Amino acid sequence: MLTMRTLNRPGSSTGPAASAAAVPVATAADCGLLLIRLTFGLLMAAHGAQKVFGLFGGDGLAATGKGFAALGYQPGELFAAIGGLSELLGGLGLALGLLTPLAAAALIGVMINAMATVTGAHGLWEGDGGVEYSVCIAVVALAVAAVGPGRLAVDRFLRWGRGGWGEAAFALGLGGVAAAITLSL
């Protein structure tokens, strides 16, 4: 059940008759953002847990590290841990709406690396091994940073909890810089 708050409009009463002017504290947009954040964030966190801990049918850190080493990331296990933890913590951050711009930056950075090293050479479509999936993840993370996590988020109490151009620029900039540094090593 959603909590209701009464709007004080000029000329309106605040008694029982004013209940028709009540608006929900959590709007449909807030609930929609929560649905996106929970679904997207928890799936990304699980994807990271596959890499780091071998959960949910994942290979775990040692095997994932070998895969990263084959892509040129040395030491492979260290970069696998960084990538997996970025997905795990970034996903949890988005799911909770906690440090949303930073969580988005973590996912954006990982996806830029994935596009540059794995999927970029295969074109757009996922069926061909292309960038489609990575682009979608990066764009959703960036959009949540821009729009803000909504009122059903931990960040609603913090200044960046409303999203905006600054938060989006921070997420994209930090994710891009982190990816560039990783790719240059």
Side-chain angles (χ1 to χ4, degrees):
M1 181 172 180
L2 296 176
T3 305
M4 302 298 270
R5 171 179 49 188
T6 303
L7 290 176
N8 289 322
R9 295 184 182 149
S12 69
S13 69
T14 57
S19 64
V23 296
V25 171
T27 65
D30 293 319
C31 292
L33 278 167
L34 178 63
L35 180 62
I36 290 168
R37 286 190 359 257
L38 286 174
T39 303
F40 179 76
L42 292 176
L43 285 171
M44 288 309 303
H47 194 71
Q50 288 179 315
K51 288 179 176 71
V52 178
F53 304 116
L55 298 175
F56 311 113
D59 293 331
L61 196 54
T64 303
K66 289 177 185 172
F68 272 63
L71 292 170
Y73 291 100
Q74 298 296 333
E77 200 164 311
L78 173 65
F79 282 99
I82 292 169
L85 287 172
S86 293
E87 290 174 347
L88 175 65
L89 298 175
L92 289 175
L94 280 187
L96 294 171
L98 175 62
L99 303 174
T100 302
L102 188 60
L107 296 175
I108 290 167
V110 170
M111 292 305 109
I112 291 171
N113 270 278
M115 289 183 269
T117 60
V118 180
T119 60
H122 302 285
L124 176 61
W125 303 113
E126 175 68 24
D128 298 327
V131 298
E132 175 186 10
Y133 177 70
S134 299
V135 168
C136 289
I137 291 170
V139 168
V140 168
L142 179 60
V144 171
V147 172
R151 283 184 268 191
L152 301 175
V154 176
D155 278 350
R156 77 181 184 157
F157 300 110
L158 305 172
R159 72 167 189 80
W160 55 78
R162 289 179 295 278
W165 289 112
E167 289 77 0
F170 175 83
L172 184 59
L174 181 60
V177 167
I181 290 170
T182 303
L183 290 166
S184 71
L185 297 177

